[in-house]
Amino acid sequence: MDYDFSQLTQIPEPIFDVSEMSAFELFSPNVDETVWFFRDLLGMIETGRSDDSVYLRGWHDPYSHSLKVTYREQPGMGAVVWRATSPAALQRRVKSIETSGLGRGWVKAEGGLGPAYEFTMPDGSIQRLHWEAEYYRPPAQKRSILLNRVQRRPLSGVPVRGLDHLNLLSRSVTENRRFMSEHMGFKLSEQIIGHDGTELGAWLRTMTRSHDLALVKDMAADGGRLHHVAFLYGNTQHLSDFCDVATDHGIEMEAGPAVHAVSQAQFVYVLEPGGNRIELVGEAGYTITDPSWTPVVWEQDALENAIIFYGSPLPAEFDTYGTPHPCKTNYRTPNRYVRAEASVILK
């Protein structure tokens, strides 16, 4: 017998045109110290320098770089770079973004990543989408006998595998979520809804990980700020090892180790020497392979359980401190960065 498709016509066709975040640009007023944090403590590999920028990658990151550290007087973020799933997918997304009025045009290749189409989210954060990419080719002494590994595990610091996800503070979570869903094909995994129906948080995915992009209501500014960028360990022991090594080198943990309820990821938050919040993920969150996944909705009354499944509570200004920070703050942010330089950076 024939199948009746009429009842399914209201289900939108999913878009799988974006594969992953391929690179992220971090602004730092202390580039040398920020690079020390990522290279010497997190074991990332420096792959190049250009003008005021340093390029690095995690040992599982496939491309020539995944992190670009650039000098700026204030901490914050530059461009977020996403890779399309094919040249045709890139063309489709560019065509869609251009209808939004937020497209900015093509930018030239850099750091091994090919030409990219640049646009902004409604809050103004800069995003780029590309297809072409130069894969990292390790020198002979860094090659692994495992041919399915990008390279041999580094022997410095506690090496992170690579980029995991991004969390942005948003003026309007709903507006930005809808933009990324409509024009980039991001899918909603979980969300937090306030007492008045306002969307306070949204966790979005491109493929099957619990989320690649989180959007959280900006309580202190007009949005478009960095809350944190996350890097993956993939197991509990390495997260613990990092806490040991970092503490012994004068770096304080902001929060954790603990476990989120949203995403179920095990985490530590730390401020790198430039003042940006970094999340390190131990055991990664769940994956979503169900094509008819129903987004999980957390009401505001359940916030305490939504953010922390188990572990110590987050600091009081965890939800409001982001970079760049709009004004002076009494937040006891960790590390020498704030104690020595807040008066200059957080004017």
Side-chain angles (χ1 to χ4, degrees):
M1 95 181 157
D2 293 334
Y3 187 77
D4 180 12
F5 285 96
S6 61
Q7 60 182 327
L8 305 178
T9 57
Q10 300 303 313
I11 298 176
E13 185 68 16
I15 300 169
F16 294 101
D17 283 350
V18 179
S19 61
E20 62 182 349
M21 179 169 57
S22 50
F24 180 80
E25 183 177 20
L26 195 69
F27 292 154
S28 172
N30 302 307
V31 169
D32 289 344
E33 293 183 39
T34 294
V35 169
W36 165 82
F37 174 86
F38 285 105
R39 184 189 58 210
D40 294 15
L41 295 189
L42 296 186
M44 296 188 75
I45 297 96
E46 182 178 328
T47 59
R49 295 188 176 226
S50 175
D51 299 324
D52 292 332
S53 298
V54 181
Y55 298 88
L56 305 104
R57 53 175 292 282
W59 67 293
H60 271 228
D61 282 323
Y63 312 125
S64 294
H65 85 279
S66 58
L67 177 64
K68 178 183 178 182
V69 179
T70 299
Y71 174 78
R72 290 291 188 276
E73 291 184 0
Q74 293 189 1
M77 57 179 279
V80 185
V81 188
W82 305 91
R83 193 180 187 200
T85 53
S86 71
L90 174 61
Q91 186 177 22
R92 287 192 295 268
R93 291 307 98 217
V94 169
K95 184 177 179 180
S96 178
I97 293 166
E98 286 179 334
T99 67
S100 73
L102 294 177
R104 298 177 65 169
W106 291 90
V107 296
K108 64 181 181 180
E110 69 161 336
L113 301 182
Y117 186 79
E118 185 173 282
F119 61 98
T120 67
M121 292 173 63
D123 277 349
S125 63
I126 298 173
Q127 312 287 315
R128 292 176 181 170
L129 184 64
H130 71 104
W131 162 248
E132 296 178 42
E134 178 181 309
Y135 286 86
Y136 178 72
R137 303 299 181 203
Q141 67 271 23
K142 292 186 178 180
R143 293 175 189 161
S144 173
I145 61 172
L146 290 174
L147 300 183
N148 50 14
R149 267 188 184 173
V150 180
Q151 67 167 89
R152 185 179 297 166
R153 179 190 167 107
L155 296 178
S156 61
V158 185
V160 290
R161 290 172 176 259
L163 274 175
D164 189 76
H165 69 266
L166 175 66
N167 186 308
L168 298 180
L169 294 167
S170 302
R171 178 184 64 251
S172 169
V173 171
T174 300
E175 184 181 8
N176 286 276
R177 171 180 60 79
R178 287 175 176 168
F179 175 88
M180 294 301 280
S181 295
E182 178 181 350
H183 299 292
M184 292 280 279
F186 282 48
K187 300 144 197 74
L188 181 63
S189 300
E190 305 193 42
Q191 63 185 162
I192 295 174
I193 303 296
H195 290 139
D196 62 355
T198 300
E199 192 171 16
L200 301 178
W203 284 257
L204 307 170
R205 68 189 187 279
T206 60
M207 294 293 180
T208 61
R209 79 170 86 204
S210 65
H211 66 292
D212 298 271
L213 173 66
L215 303 170
V216 177
K217 177 70 175 176
D218 195 335
M219 304 295 186
D222 290 331
R225 300 190 297 143
L226 174 66
H227 187 272
H228 68 263
V229 60
F231 295 82
L232 178 67
Y233 276 121
N235 65 67
T236 302
Q237 184 59 53
H238 294 164
L239 195 66
S240 177
D241 290 342
F242 168 80
C243 294
D244 183 309
V245 169
T247 301
D248 216 18
H249 285 78
I251 301 292
E252 250 183 284
M253 302 306 110
E254 182 191 26
V259 174
H260 288 303
V262 173
S263 84
Q264 300 181 26
Q266 183 186 45
F267 68 86
V268 157
Y269 289 102
V270 58
L271 270 74
E272 53 84 21
N276 297 288
R277 180 183 287 110
I278 306 299
E279 182 181 14
L280 300 170
V281 181
E283 293 290 344
Y286 60 85
T287 57
I288 298 174
T289 57
D290 179 1
S292 57
W293 172 270
T294 300
V296 176
V297 179
W298 298 83
E299 303 290 346
Q300 190 168 350
D301 290 339
L303 270 183
E304 184 175 346
N305 292 331
I307 304 303
I308 299 293
F309 176 44
Y310 64 80
S312 299
L314 296 173
E317 290 193 39
F318 181 81
D319 292 331
T320 57
Y321 181 83
T323 48
H325 201 71
C327 58
K328 291 183 179 180
T329 175
N330 293 321
Y331 184 30
R332 189 200 62 79
T333 47
N335 309 326
R336 182 188 59 76
Y337 154 71
V338 168
R339 290 197 292 272
E341 299 180 351
S343 61
V344 175
I345 297 171
L346 307 181
K347 293 180 180 178

